[in-house]
């Protein structure tokens, strides 16, 4: 094989596709079944937006990702991206609003600023405080993570990639001539290796010397009093007291998904508590009811997933600093899925020598003091 890809979730499936599309012989290895719900690439929806409060440096990648989603849908025949608009709500100096406005202004992104009365008038489901404002972005929406993974796997196989599932990677190594990957099923060799480990980064990439924190997150689904009002709804990220953010989506099949953004329990993939407890449901219900009274009428279900956080909450995408034949993509810190198609391109670029995409922010040296 030219390249082995470890992990076939969001990022790994995209990398396998882009490499195979470019003519590489590719082996993809995944420890679970295709499109599983045991990592970070599930839950029915992930927000996508461009006025990015995390850092304006992300915006060029987001602009390109939006273009690539259209191609993925067209080529796979699978619906992935849904444009419904999005609003970032909070006090004017909150990170959510001020950071979004900074990115919108720096990159001349179309947007509107709404005061609390305007938010309530345009989106009657919402009850912001009088001092809150919102940045509305018409081009925002959501992607379906399971559909994205399925589409990329389909395209990867069509392009000639060999994909193995239910096969756990035990260890990997490099030499002057290539890479070797040992799994529960056998040993494979290739010229290069791409590692997209998700929450298994501490295990598979320990020698990077980066402290990854794995965080349990809970996603909740409620039935609102008026489903039609939420079918026409934007995605939103809403910053409340002490900087706590929650986010949500339009109604899909009669259910509305909401969740807190960070603040979950530290865990590992082996120790994560997959049970969602009554007190957690009650806390979310109370929090949402104060801001969107018509939403949490009936709790329907909940599910857990994992964030793999870096210390600064920015990604790690680079050639391995001490392994020339290895490329890594990890630490997506709960906001990476919207970048999936462009990360796939970047990883293929790095395998081939280098990328023109702006990825200096994701250099692992910033986290290890190696700069």
């Amino acid at each position: 094989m030219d390249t082995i890809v470890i992990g076939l979730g969001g990022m790994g499936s995209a990398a396998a596709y882009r490499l195979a599309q470019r003519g590489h012989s590719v082996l993809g290895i995944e420890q679970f079944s295709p499109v599983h719900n045991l990592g970070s690439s599930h839950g029915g929806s992930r927000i996508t937006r461009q006025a990015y409060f995390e850092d304006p440096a992300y915006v060029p990648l987001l602009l390109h990702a939006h273009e690539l989603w259209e191609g993925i849908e067209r080529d796979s025949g699978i619906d992935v991206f849904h444009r419904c608009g999005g609003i970032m709500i909070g006090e004017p100096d909150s990170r959510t609003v001020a950071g979004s406005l900074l990115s919108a202004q720096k990159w001349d992104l179309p947007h509107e600023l709404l005061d609390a009365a305007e938010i309530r008038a345009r989106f009657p489901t919402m009850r912001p405080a009088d001092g809150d404002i919102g940045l509305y972005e018409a081009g925002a929406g959501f992607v379906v993570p399971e559909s994205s993974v399925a589409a990329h796997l389909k395209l990867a196989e069509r392009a000639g990639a060999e994909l193995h599932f239910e096969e756990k990677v035990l260890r990997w190594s490099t030499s002057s001539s290539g890479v070797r990957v040992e799994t529960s099923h056998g040993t494979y060799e290739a010229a290069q290796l791409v590692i997209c480990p998700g929450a298994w980064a501490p295990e598979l990439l320990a020698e990077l010397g980066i402290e990854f924190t794995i965080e349990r997150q809970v996603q909740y689904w409620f039935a609102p009093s008026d489903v039609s009002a939420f079918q026409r709804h934007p995605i939103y990220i809403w910053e409340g007291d002490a900087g706590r953010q929650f986010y949500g989506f339009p109604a899909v099949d009669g259910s509305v998904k909401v969740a807190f953004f960070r603040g979950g329990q530290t865990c590992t993939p082996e120790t994560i508590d997959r049970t969602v407890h009554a007190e957690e449901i009650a806390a979310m219900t109370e929090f949402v009811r104060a801001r969107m009274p018509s939403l949490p009428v009936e709790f329907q279900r909940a599910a857990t997933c994992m964030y793999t956080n870096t210390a600064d909450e920015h990604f790690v995408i680079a050639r391995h600093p001490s392994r020339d034949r290895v490329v890594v993509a990890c630490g997506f810190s709960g906001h990476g899925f919207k970048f999936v198609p462009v990360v796939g391109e970047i990883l293929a670029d790095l395998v081939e020598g280098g990328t023109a995409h702006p990825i200096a922010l994701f250099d692992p040296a910033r986290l290890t003091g190696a700069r």
Side-chain angles (χ1 to χ4, degrees):
M1 292 291 174
D2 295 324
T3 310
I4 296 172
V5 178
I6 296 176
L8 294 174
M11 304 306 176
S13 63
Y17 165 50
R18 293 300 176 185
L19 285 163
Q21 182 191 42
R22 297 182 187 186
H24 294 250
S25 57
V26 176
L27 170 63
I29 304 174
E30 167 59 52
Q31 64 177 321
F32 301 116
S33 60
V35 198
H36 63 83
N37 63 355
L38 297 173
S40 306
S41 298
H42 62 280
S45 51
R46 293 288 187 276
I47 285 174
T48 182
R49 51 195 164 88
Q50 295 177 342
Y52 216 60
F53 63 76
E54 286 83 351
D55 196 299
Y58 287 92
V59 174
L61 299 176
L62 289 164
L63 293 172
H64 189 49
H66 272 224
E67 298 171 353
L68 293 175
W69 285 121
E70 295 179 5
I72 292 298
E73 288 188 318
R74 180 189 64 245
D75 295 341
S76 69
I78 297 174
D79 291 335
V80 179
F81 175 56
H82 301 267
R83 192 185 308 270
C84 59
I87 187 165
M88 308 295 111
I89 300 175
E91 295 184 352
D93 62 351
S94 65
R95 182 189 185 201
T96 303
V97 174
S100 298
L101 182 59
L102 176 65
S103 285
Q105 292 174 334
K106 179 171 182 177
W107 293 99
D108 196 25
L109 302 173
H111 66 282
E112 299 176 67
L113 285 178
L114 308 176
D115 63 24
E118 290 170 321
I119 295 171
R120 290 190 288 262
R122 189 179 297 190
F123 307 113
T125 60
M126 295 181 159
R127 296 288 183 272
D130 289 340
D132 284 346
I133 66 171
L135 183 144
Y136 179 76
E137 179 186 351
F142 65 95
V143 296
V144 180
E146 293 90 344
S147 296
S148 170
V149 175
H152 281 100
L153 293 176
K154 177 179 178 178
L155 293 172
E157 285 193 303
R158 183 186 297 171
E162 180 181 334
L163 306 180
H164 292 192
F165 297 96
E166 304 285 358
E167 185 166 350
K168 182 175 176 61
V169 171
L170 303 177
R171 61 190 64 86
W172 60 269
S173 60
T174 63
S175 67
S176 59
S177 59
V179 301
R180 174 180 293 222
V181 176
E182 298 176 51
T183 76
S184 55
H185 288 43
T187 300
Y188 309 95
E189 295 183 346
Q192 299 202 66
L193 176 63
V194 177
I195 304 179
C196 302
W200 287 262
E203 174 185 341
L204 287 173
L205 293 173
E207 67 177 44
L208 278 180
I210 295 173
E211 183 177 353
F212 296 104
T213 302
I214 312 304
E215 187 177 336
R216 173 185 177 269
Q217 294 294 319
V218 182
Q219 306 161 83
Y220 303 82
W221 284 262
F222 291 95
S225 60
D226 181 0
V227 172
S228 64
F230 283 90
Q231 289 172 332
R232 304 184 299 272
H233 213 274
I235 60 91
Y236 51 91
I237 300 178
W238 196 326
E239 184 168 331
D241 298 337
R244 190 172 200 188
Q245 296 167 307
F246 86 107
Y247 63 94
F249 299 84
V252 177
D253 297 329
S255 295
V256 177
K257 175 184 164 183
V258 294
F260 290 119
F261 190 38
R262 301 201 176 93
Q265 303 163 350
T266 300
C267 66
T268 70
E270 292 71 36
T271 64
I272 181 173
D273 182 0
R274 299 280 183 184
T275 300
V276 179
H277 301 278
E279 58 270 23
E280 295 178 295
I281 298 167
M284 174 55 83
T285 301
E286 180 182 0
F287 190 91
V288 173
R289 182 171 288 135
R291 294 158 179 83
M292 305 179 76
S294 64
L295 174 54
V297 172
E298 178 189 352
F299 170 74
Q300 293 181 319
R301 63 189 177 93
T304 59
C305 69
M306 291 177 283
Y307 288 178
T308 306
N309 298 320
T310 63
D312 60 9
E313 298 173 357
H314 295 310
F315 311 155
V316 174
I317 306 174
R319 277 206 165 272
H320 194 294
S322 60
R323 306 276 189 168
D324 288 342
R325 294 178 176 272
V326 179
V327 174
V328 300
C330 55
F332 288 96
S333 302
H335 63 109
F337 205 93
K338 61 185 72 65
F339 296 88
V340 158
V342 70
V343 170
E345 271 196 359
I346 291 167
L347 295 175
D349 290 346
L350 292 175
V351 167
E352 293 178 340
T355 185
H357 289 294
I359 62 168
L361 182 62
F362 313 137
D363 187 341
R366 76 186 193 277
L367 299 168
T368 63
R371 282 178 172 168

